Amino acid sequence: MSSVAPPPLRDEGTRSQVIVAGAAAGLVSRFCIAPLDVLKIRLQLQYHSLSDPLSSPAPSRKPLGVLQVARNILQHEGITGFWKGNVPAEGLYLSYGAVQFWAYRTTTQGLNTLSDAVQRDYGRAIPGTAMSFVAGAAAGTAATTATYPLDLLRTRFAAQGPERVYPSLLSSLRSITQLEGPSGFFRGLGAGIGQIVPYMGLFFSLYEALKPILADTALPFGSGDAVAGVTASVLAKSAVFPLDTVRKRLQVQGPTRTKYVGGQRMPVYERGVIKTLGMIVKHEGARGLYRGLSVSLVKAAPASAVTMWTYERVLGE
């Protein structure tokens, strides 16, 4: 007895329209959440050893909170300190959004074709939620790998204190190439992919599941796209946040490690993701993996809402 095939995943616009929509969504989103991104990175890079209290920042000997980090940035680096790393970050969000939505649409088309074939031959289609998960994971992997050097540069510039490690974007490219080689641009990529696969898979599957439910919700923006994007992002972000912390710690490893804010106290991590996870838990406790989560969730809400709302509006033009 054959089951009723689920409705195919939504397929709107031409491929070029999808790329433009994704890029525009990424740029608008990045502009809105840049200060929160810098705060999150600074919090994640704080090293606080439970066995060596003297490793913590003076005078409290405890990890600094959000307000303390924000106050330090404002006092010592000025208001522009909240936008450190914004140039590579804008390039990251521009290209990431374009690659992500292009890959999502392309994978979705292929999965719909496969589902139709399975339905025809076996009388049972691939569940829509499963297709959303696979498409989201594939899109996240492609976008993360293609744009990872920009992600690493964004982290390193955001981690710079009053004394710059790299005077300019060009100097950072030259320095990393000379001191670390091409592989230096991909430090922590394993953690990035390990994070983004479940994150994007969960995000898109939750988004596609929530959007029909919230379609008739009356909101100032005119639809439930924003609420669906916020909810999906917060749930998915919380699940994979420890890997995001590992990625940030690995991205600042190398010959310039001690020059970043908090880098003098941070140990040298093995490049393996599992070993780094173990070291953080051993020396800082499980809480060390979630430092900056509150800022990340606050950032995720407006970022995802703006991203998905912009994406839908651009496609609707």
Side-chain angles (χ1 to χ4, degrees):
M1 182 176 180
S2 63
S3 59
V4 178
L9 298 176
R10 183 172 54 83
D11 179 19
E12 295 181 357
T14 64
R15 186 161 300 182
S16 60
Q17 287 175 324
V18 170
I19 293 175
V20 171
L27 281 177
V28 174
S29 173
R30 171 64 203 178
F31 179 81
C32 295
I33 55 86
L36 292 175
D37 201 35
V38 171
L39 283 174
K40 181 183 79 76
I41 291 173
R42 294 290 181 90
L43 289 168
Q44 286 179 298
L45 294 180
Q46 284 192 96
Y47 176 72
H48 172 60
S49 174
L50 298 176
S51 59
D52 181 16
L54 295 179
S55 67
S56 302
S60 66
R61 301 303 180 192
K62 295 181 179 180
L64 300 180
V66 177
L67 295 180
Q68 291 173 301
V69 173
R71 190 182 304 116
N72 284 346
I73 294 175
L74 189 61
Q75 290 179 349
H76 301 294
E77 303 170 53
I79 191 66
T80 58
F82 291 101
W83 272 267
K84 282 188 174 180
N86 196 52
V87 173
E90 286 290 357
L92 169 64
Y93 277 67
L94 174 64
S95 53
Y96 190 99
V99 175
Q100 171 186 305
F101 285 109
W102 173 82
Y104 183 69
R105 180 182 184 276
T106 301
T107 306
T108 294
Q109 289 180 326
L111 289 173
N112 279 330
T113 301
L114 177 61
S115 181
D116 291 341
V118 172
Q119 171 72 20
R120 182 178 61 253
D121 296 339
Y122 300 100
R124 185 183 297 275
I126 301 174
T129 302
M131 290 196 293
S132 293
F133 186 95
V134 172
T141 300
T144 297
T145 303
T147 63
Y148 196 79
L150 291 171
D151 183 36
L152 181 134
L153 290 173
R154 179 269 305 266
T155 296
R156 292 195 176 189
F157 274 99
Q160 292 184 141
E163 297 182 8
R164 292 186 176 184
V165 179
Y166 305 116
S168 65
L169 182 59
L170 183 60
S171 68
S172 70
L173 296 174
R174 184 167 52 248
S175 176
I176 294 174
T177 300
Q178 292 176 349
L179 298 179
E180 305 174 55
S183 63
F185 291 100
F186 293 91
R187 288 182 182 271
L189 177 60
I193 294 178
Q195 171 200 359
I196 205 65
V197 169
Y199 172 73
M200 293 309 303
L202 287 171
F203 173 75
F204 275 109
S205 58
L206 287 169
Y207 177 73
E208 295 288 354
L210 290 171
K211 189 182 174 183
I213 299 175
L214 300 171
D216 298 327
T217 303
L219 293 171
F221 295 108
S223 73
D225 296 342
V227 174
V230 168
T231 304
S233 182
V234 167
L235 293 175
K237 180 79 70 176
S238 298
V240 303
F241 192 77
L243 286 172
D244 185 62
T245 297
V246 170
R247 176 166 59 99
K248 291 294 184 291
R249 297 282 183 97
L250 291 175
Q251 285 179 329
V252 296
Q253 295 293 303
T256 58
R257 173 180 57 84
T258 60
K259 298 180 181 180
Y260 301 107
V261 174
Q264 298 87 349
R265 305 179 184 92
M266 187 183 300
V268 175
Y269 294 110
E270 297 290 340
R271 295 181 65 179
V273 175
I274 301 301
K275 289 184 178 181
T276 303
L277 274 170
M279 287 183 66
I280 294 175
V281 173
K282 179 180 178 180
H283 297 290
E284 304 176 64
R287 293 183 62 181
L289 295 172
Y290 291 92
R291 197 165 291 136
L293 176 60
S294 59
V295 177
S296 180
L297 294 181
V298 170
K299 184 189 78 167
S304 295
V306 171
T307 296
M308 300 313 297
W309 182 84
T310 305
Y311 178 67
E312 299 288 349
R313 299 290 82 74
V314 173
L315 279 183
E317 294 297 331

